[in-house]
Amino acid sequence: MNNFHYTKASSVDEAVLAGKGAENYFIAGGTNLLDLWKYDLTHPQKMVDVNGIEELKTITELPNGGLRLGALVTNNTTAYHPLVEARYPLLSRTILAGATAQIRNSATNGGNLLQRTRCYYFYDPASPCNKRNPGSGCPAVEGQNRLHAILGFSDKCIATFPSDMCVALAALEAVVRVTGPNGSREIAFADFHRLPGDRPELDNTLGQDELITAIDLPPRGYAEHHNYLKLRDRNSYAFALVSVATGYELEAGMIANARIALGGVAHIPWRVEAAETYLEGKAPTEASFAGAADLILAGAQGFEHNAFKIELARRTIVRSGMMALDPSCQRPGAPPSL
Ligand code: SF4
């Protein structure tokens, strides 16, 4: 039995004070943390319940034209918020492609960023796993690796990051606002999650005693041309084998700027800025997106059970780019067959 100390916070300051120290956890929706606890994968000494912090439950417009998503707003409330639907439909679609309605009603925006990999070995305490038990090995390299990475992995860990929402947040270049014992800071989304390298136990750059307070969306939302295409083993309640978030703006029929982010292929939402630059000035054609796909997937490498993802990702990038031309024909959760 894991004895722990439970505290309820009603303000950010209270939460940060109560959460100071190692092996302390903030809990909001708990949709992943409680699983980790029940599987005996985490052993908190102190649990700080942040669900009473009302100031983190709002979505507000920013003076620069962007939007601030409170960390405690649920995923469903965010996806269906009129401003998100109108100005950031790409974000709305990615959220609705994940989990189930019940889970999205509990899961929060801040928690979505912190969910852990769904690698089978990570959730099995009887297996070695460098992420759970550093130095113990990575059985996925020689074992079951269908869900695993084809980009950015290391010999220590080939896990993927499971979030859908974060794929859009990467494409939109969101900013994560956090507060800890040393004050508040902002983290560019590209710097929030980290590659496994030699420290696969670290998923992100957030301090253990730092609390995510909000996610800021920049003004550019790609509402006119966007798409999220998620390929998975079943059409509901499954993590992505490959997913692609695409957004671009057209001027005189040519791509003026573009963003492409991939999920299900790496330890982080995967973006290659050279591929986005490559698209500038080009017509939105299959050939253009195929060229971008070549740049995104340069260096991709498969393992015994996931090598198919390389070609799947290439096709998904092209299809998502073409589907973004007319977002009105897309239905969340019902991607066409490739
Ligand atoms: Fe653990 Fe990462 Fe290897 Fe999975 S891929 S077993 S999470 S070290």
Side-chain angles (χ1 to χ4, degrees), residues 119 121-122 129-131 138-140 148 156-159:
C119 172
Y121 302 102
F122 176 73
C129 168
N130 284 328
K131 185 179 281 295
C138 176
H148 289 70
K156 300 282 192 298
C157 180
I158 62 171

Side-chain angles (χ1 to χ4, degrees), residues 13-335:
D13 289 346
E14 256 183 53
V16 168
L17 191 64
K20 199 172 174 184
E23 296 304 319
N24 296 338
Y25 288 80
F26 299 112
I27 184 164
T31 54
N32 191 209
L33 183 54
L34 292 179
D35 280 347
L36 296 166
W37 204 353
K38 284 187 279 189
Y39 283 119
D40 202 23
L41 305 181
T42 191
H43 310 96
Q45 294 173 355
K46 187 188 289 182
M47 194 63 82
V48 182
D49 185 338
V50 295
N51 285 295
I53 307 178
E54 295 301 321
E55 64 194 280
L56 303 186
K57 296 181 180 175
T58 59
I59 292 179
T60 52
E61 294 188 80
L62 294 170
N64 69 356
L67 210 58
R68 177 163 296 165
L69 310 176
L72 290 178
V73 181
T74 68
N75 288 176
N76 256 353
T77 299
T78 303
Y80 292 118
H81 192 283
L83 289 174
V84 176
E85 284 187 317
R87 288 162 46 183
Y88 303 94
L90 175 61
L91 178 61
S92 186
R93 286 179 191 280
T94 58
I95 293 173
L96 296 177
T100 65
Q102 292 88 343
I103 291 173
R104 294 192 301 266
N105 277 334
S106 291
T108 61
N109 292 334
N112 195 298
L113 274 58
L114 301 178
Q115 59 185 298
R116 307 214 67 187
T117 184
R118 263 58 182 188
C119 172
Y120 333 106
Y121 302 102
F122 176 73
Y123 284 86
D124 175 10
S127 293
C129 168
N130 284 328
K131 185 179 281 295
R132 174 169 33 77
N133 184 14
S136 62
C138 176
V141 172
E142 301 283 334
Q144 292 298 320
N145 43 43
R146 180 175 170 79
L147 279 177
H148 289 70
I150 55 172
L151 289 160
F153 53 81
S154 72
D155 61 352
K156 300 282 192 298
C157 180
I158 62 171
T160 50
F161 179 58
S163 168
D164 292 292
M165 178 182 182
C166 289
V167 183
L169 293 175
L172 293 169
E173 294 190 341
V175 174
V176 186
R177 297 173 63 85
V178 309
T179 298
N182 297 321
S184 299
R185 65 184 178 119
E186 297 181 350
I187 307 172
F189 207 79
D191 298 328
F192 188 82
H193 295 102
R194 61 182 299 284
L195 292 172
D198 288 336
R199 301 285 309 274
E201 70 275 20
L202 301 176
D203 290 344
N204 54 60
T205 56
L206 187 73
Q208 174 74 32
D209 46 13
E210 284 184 312
L211 176 70
I212 297 175
T213 55
I215 301 161
D216 285 357
L217 303 177
R220 187 176 271 160
Y222 297 98
E224 279 191 50
H225 298 292
H226 65 272
N227 171 262
Y228 185 60
L229 187 50
K230 177 178 179 179
L231 281 297
R232 42 188 161 174
D233 281 329
R234 56 176 187 265
N235 206 27
S236 174
Y237 197 35
F239 295 100
L241 293 167
V242 170
S243 68
V244 177
T246 305
Y248 50 80
E249 293 176 335
L250 296 180
E251 287 178 10
M254 298 296 179
I255 296 173
N257 62 73
R259 303 273 176 76
I260 300 174
L262 272 64
V265 297
H267 203 257
I268 58 174
W270 192 261
R271 256 185 87 195
V272 175
E273 290 187 29
E276 298 167 0
T277 305
Y278 166 87
L279 286 170
E280 290 176 10
K282 292 189 169 58
T285 63
E286 290 192 7
S288 298
F289 294 116
D294 287 342
L295 291 169
I296 292 168
L297 297 168
Q301 184 185 325
F303 294 85
E304 182 178 357
H305 303 290
N306 74 348
F308 71 95
K309 281 188 174 189
I310 300 173
E311 179 61 13
L312 187 66
R314 193 187 68 76
R315 294 183 185 210
T316 310
I317 292 165
V318 174
R319 176 60 68 95
S320 179
M322 297 307 294
M323 291 178 73
L325 269 172
D326 182 8
S328 67
C329 68
Q330 302 161 29
R331 286 187 298 120

